[in-house]
Amino acid sequence: MEHFKHDTYIVLELPIKIHEQVMTIKMKFNDAIEMVTPADITIAGSSGVGLLDPAQEPQAVYSILDNIALKIKPIKTSFVEVTRFPSTNIFFFSFKDETPFHDLHREIAHSNIRFLKNEFPFKPHVTLCTRPSITEAEIKKLLAIKLDEEFIINTLSVCSLEVSNNKIKDHLLYKVNLNEYL
């Protein structure tokens, strides 16, 4: 039986145009970690439920996600301001309406997928910068960024992060479209 080999997450993919704009912001702030990870919304892994339990069979997880995706319509959304998690140097875009993200997170959390524990409550967001040292001028620039365009998210994915020899590789393991017919 195959298992997940690395830290594994469930994410919503941003549409390509928004993804490119977010990656440009990440590169501008020269965050080595954020530049190698895609611009996405983590639904399971970093907040709320934790990483996927590696002891479960990936095909079983994918099957459950297929069934969940059939019940969820694509999410029409937009960013609001850039925010900072308290007492950290983690800056992110939050969303105008978080309800559909919380609904999807709850659906996944209450499924038969198993997760590791996580200490942080679920907060839908797109991370922009996580550098340990950042200047006040850079903080002001980050907090002033606006990206007001409305967009539609329609892809749910499973990704894993492989960390070896101080290098991070992101692996796309699976993706499914949300139900556009709802």
Side-chain angles (χ1 to χ4, degrees):
M1 181 180 356
E2 188 179 324
H3 297 288
F4 295 111
K5 296 177 182 149
H6 307 288
D7 288 353
T8 305
Y9 303 79
I10 299 171
V11 302
L12 286 168
E13 294 183 15
L14 295 173
I16 190 70
K17 182 179 175 188
I18 301 298
H19 181 274
E20 288 171 353
Q21 291 173 355
V22 170
M23 291 305 293
T24 298
I25 294 166
K26 287 178 166 197
M27 285 186 265
K28 183 178 179 181
F29 289 92
N30 198 25
D31 185 331
I33 292 174
E34 287 306 312
M35 288 190 304
V36 297
T37 58
D40 55 29
I41 304 134
T42 304
I43 297 297
S46 62
S47 65
V49 294
L51 299 166
L52 277 83
D53 182 339
Q56 61 195 320
E57 188 176 334
Q59 288 303 323
V61 171
Y62 306 153
S63 177
I64 293 168
L65 290 176
D66 284 345
N67 291 329
I68 290 171
L70 285 173
K71 299 186 278 184
I72 304 292
K73 67 181 180 180
I75 300 169
K76 189 174 190 178
T77 191
S78 61
F79 296 128
V80 285
E81 73 278 349
V82 173
T83 308
R84 181 183 196 175
F85 281 118
S87 304
T88 74
N89 278 344
I90 301 172
F91 296 86
F92 59 91
F93 274 125
S94 52
F95 293 93
K96 191 172 189 176
D97 179 9
E98 294 184 349
T99 305
F101 301 102
H102 283 281
D103 293 345
L104 177 57
H105 178 265
R106 195 170 18 264
E107 187 80 26
I108 289 172
H110 291 25
S111 72
N112 286 329
I113 299 173
R114 296 188 316 272
F115 300 94
L116 302 178
K117 290 190 187 246
N118 186 355
E119 63 184 280
F120 303 108
F122 180 65
K123 171 66 177 164
H125 67 281
V126 174
T127 305
L128 298 172
C129 185
T130 61
R131 282 189 6 228
S133 61
I134 189 164
T135 67
E136 284 301 317
E138 289 173 314
I139 291 170
K140 284 182 182 178
K141 285 180 185 176
L142 267 166
L143 295 175
I145 293 171
K146 301 284 186 235
L147 198 57
D148 300 329
E149 184 179 338
E150 195 169 68
F151 54 93
I152 296 175
I153 298 170
N154 65 359
T155 306
L156 185 67
S157 300
V158 177
C159 301
S160 69
L161 287 180
E162 176 184 358
V163 180
S164 63
N165 299 328
N166 291 328
K167 293 188 179 188
I168 299 172
K169 291 182 188 172
D170 181 65
H171 300 282
L172 173 64
L173 304 177
Y174 188 77
K175 68 169 52 179
V176 61
N177 287 332
L178 302 179
N179 191 342
E180 63 187 80
Y181 301 106
L182 289 176

